[in-house]
Amino acid sequence: MTGLGALVATNWPLKLAAVVFAVGLWLFVATEERTDAVFTVPLDLVDRPAGVEVTSVGPETVAVRVEGRESLLRRLHEEDFRAQVSLKSAAPGRFVAAIRTEDVTAPPGVRVVRVTPSEVRGVLESR
């Protein structure tokens, strides 16, 4: 045999086993149950305007509901997430900033579903 026929016929039992293994692995990953979990994540206030400081803020943590593969979520910890709110356009005085799902950085394969509470309140004072 020559060409493609020889290539397929050489070590065919090993090649067949590799294909069966690959299909089995794909089925396991594709059908693994997706679930959700909640993590308590510290809230970081970023992009503060120059010359101001945060004197009061609440809450300091948020509950982040995420969904993903069960095996992945079991391995995660609060440190694997980051919740940030930008104060770029805030002025001295009281502020209210929305906390959106897009403000939470999550590991690959994890989708942020909800953040509770949905806003942070605080006070900025000039230094």
Side-chain angles (χ1 to χ4, degrees), residues 5-17:
L7 188 60
V8 172
T10 306
N11 295 326
W12 71 268
L14 187 58
K15 291 176 184 175
L16 180 62

Side-chain angles (χ1 to χ4, degrees), residues 32-37 66-74 111 113:
E32 184 178 5
E33 185 174 332
R34 294 186 64 83
T35 188
D36 63 347
V66 297
E67 74 174 21
R69 290 189 334 267
E70 184 177 8
S71 61
L72 174 60
L73 294 181
R74 275 189 305 220
R111 184 173 74 91
V113 177

Side-chain angles (χ1 to χ4, degrees), residues 43 82-86 97-105 112 115:
L43 183 61
R82 186 164 184 198
Q84 294 183 315
V85 172
S86 175
I99 309 169
R100 306 166 314 191
T101 56
E102 297 84 22
D103 297 325
V104 178
T105 304
V112 178
V115 180

Side-chain angles (χ1 to χ4, degrees), residues 8-64:
V8 172
T10 306
N11 295 326
W12 71 268
L14 187 58
K15 291 176 184 175
L16 180 62
V19 168
V20 169
F21 178 75
V23 169
L25 183 61
W26 178 82
L27 285 172
F28 173 75
V29 170
T31 61
E32 184 178 5
E33 185 174 332
R34 294 186 64 83
T35 188
D36 63 347
V38 177
F39 295 91
T40 302
V41 179
L43 183 61
D44 294 330
L45 302 176
V46 297
D47 300 328
R48 277 181 284 187
V52 297
E53 64 181 64
V54 178
T55 58
S56 172
V57 66
E60 294 183 0
T61 61
V62 292
V64 178

